Amino acid sequence: DCAIVGFGRHGQAVLKQLLMNGQFTGSTFHSAVFSPNFEKEAGYMKAECSSMFENYDIRSFNADGRSIEFYHYVDNRLSTLKLIAVCTGSEESDREISDNLMMYLKRRKAEHICVIRCGKDGVRYQETVGSPIITADIYSLEYLSAQKADRDAIIINSTYDDSDRTDWEKWVACDSFSKMSSRASADFIPAFISASGMTAEEVMTGSWPPAADVLEVLGETEHLRWNAFHFVMGYSPMSSAELDERADTYRKRVEKGLPGIRLFKDSENRTHACLIPWDELDALSEKERSITGRAVDYKQY
């Protein structure tokens, strides 16, 4: 449960990141966006990523972070809100809104709600727990240089490429969509470790994988995260009719001795057959096996 104040370039980026990193088995993502210009600002995102708004609880309010409507919303959700992101595009406004908000939360003993400020110079986290307001940098421009920020993504990407090139050479040759996919996967690693009940040190010293039931939950969580990434990137679920048509094309190409097509993913039209609930993956795996003859198990994958 989160709220975003401002929906310009930074606010939209924050919503996408929170959505991709806020998917966990057993919980549901909720977001509220406060901006007096929401309808004007959100047009492109709503048109380009319509499935994102169709599949997740994203509410909008034509009010800013200084309005009584915003404070009423916060007051009614003090026990459920996890994070508030302030990103109006103006550093002065961000500071005013977040400082007032922090004092408001402190007086209501709701300091567990994380408040961050996001702008062109990076992301800052504010807290007041047991002290005056403290501001700390989370992401700075220096951190966002490619090789630092993408270190884990580069390693993840290399596992999909069995050539003898270095990890960095594989990354340079990688297409932009695959880079963004690897980044999204890498961003979620700390959440996986936390959800497993282990520390990073335990994982690095060989205490992996966890028990089978925990691994099952992590697998379902990964599927939720993967779905969210594709919805954020403008993908929609592939219809049964489209899948049947692609299966027919696949069979005809194979009969002619031609290479098959990517059966479940249409990159041009941005549809994917795997954008379905976890419980439906077994049936989809069986359908692909019946069409291609390949041993496929999406849950195990």
Side-chain angles (χ1 to χ4, degrees):
D1 193 2
C2 56
I4 300 169
V5 178
F7 207 57
R9 185 162 59 96
H10 294 108
Q12 293 182 30
V14 166
L15 175 61
K16 289 183 175 183
Q17 290 296 326
L18 288 174
L19 199 154
M20 287 190 292
N21 289 285
Q23 306 304 317
F24 299 94
T25 303
S27 70
T28 306
F29 178 86
H30 307 280
S31 179
V33 178
F34 288 83
S35 173
N37 300 308
F38 179 82
E39 290 303 325
K40 293 180 179 178
E41 295 166 328
Y44 175 76
M45 181 182 280
K46 279 191 166 184
E48 191 74 356
C49 309
S50 58
S51 289
M52 190 174 93
F53 291 88
E54 293 165 4
N55 285 276
Y56 301 99
D57 180 13
I58 303 171
R59 305 177 190 182
S60 61
F61 298 84
N62 289 313
D64 73 12
R66 290 163 289 206
S67 66
I68 191 63
E69 188 173 5
F70 172 71
Y71 277 94
H72 281 163
Y73 182 89
V74 172
D75 204 44
N76 289 329
R77 302 177 83 90
L78 291 175
S79 62
T80 60
L81 270 172
K82 301 294 189 296
L83 181 145
I84 300 172
V86 182
C87 32
T88 65
S90 163
E91 187 173 345
E92 183 178 352
S93 294
D94 286 355
R95 187 183 302 110
E96 175 193 350
I97 292 170
S98 59
D99 285 355
N100 288 339
L101 180 59
M102 292 304 299
M103 293 306 300
Y104 185 82
L105 295 176
K106 186 176 180 67
R107 292 193 183 104
R108 280 153 183 77
K109 295 180 170 48
E111 297 159 302
H112 58 278
I113 299 174
C114 174
V115 177
I116 60 172
R117 289 180 6 220
C118 307
K120 61 183 177 63
D121 293 325
V123 182
R124 294 184 174 92
Y125 163 68
Q126 293 190 261
E127 68 172 346
T128 63
V129 180
S131 66
I133 294 175
I134 295 173
T135 302
D137 286 343
I138 300 176
Y139 293 109
S140 63
L141 294 180
E142 179 188 15
Y143 172 82
L144 294 174
S145 63
Q147 280 189 277
K148 288 183 180 179
D150 289 339
R151 180 183 57 192
D152 292 336
I154 290 167
I155 295 171
I156 289 172
N157 175 71
S158 71
T159 66
Y160 296 100
D161 185 336
D162 57 5
S163 70
D164 57 2
R165 293 180 293 184
T166 66
D167 290 350
W168 178 249
E169 287 171 338
K170 294 176 183 178
W171 183 252
V172 171
C174 191
D175 65 89
S176 60
F177 183 89
S178 297
K179 284 181 179 176
M180 287 185 280
S181 179
S182 292
R183 287 182 184 121
S185 182
D187 279 348
F188 207 73
I189 290 173
F192 274 130
I193 295 173
S194 181
S196 74
M198 298 183 191
T199 65
E201 290 73 21
E202 288 172 329
V203 171
M204 293 302 291
T205 53
S207 299
W208 195 268
D213 57 340
V214 176
L215 199 59
E216 179 84 2
V217 171
L218 296 181
E220 185 172 354
T221 296
E222 163 61 11
H223 183 59
L224 292 172
R225 182 210 65 77
W226 183 90
N227 280 1
F229 168 77
H230 279 79
F231 287 134
V232 162
M233 297 302 295
Y235 271 72
S236 299
M238 185 177 289
S239 67
S240 297
E242 183 183 354
L243 179 54
D244 290 341
E245 183 178 336
R246 291 180 69 82
D248 188 52
T249 300
Y250 177 90
R251 293 188 186 100
K252 289 177 179 177
R253 288 182 62 86
V254 171
E255 288 172 2
K256 294 178 181 178
L258 300 171
I261 61 171
R262 182 79 179 269
L263 188 60
F264 285 174
K265 180 180 180 180
D266 183 344
S267 299
E268 183 175 349
N269 294 306
R270 290 187 297 177
T271 59
H272 207 302
C274 292
L275 291 170
I276 55 176
W278 173 258
D279 291 338
E280 297 177 19
L281 285 177
D282 286 339
L284 191 68
S285 299
E286 179 56 38
K287 182 159 190 172
E288 182 167 349
R289 286 194 292 268
S290 69
I291 296 170
T292 66
R294 293 197 295 264
V296 178
D297 185 337
Y298 281 110
K299 281 185 177 179
Q300 184 62 32
Y301 180 68

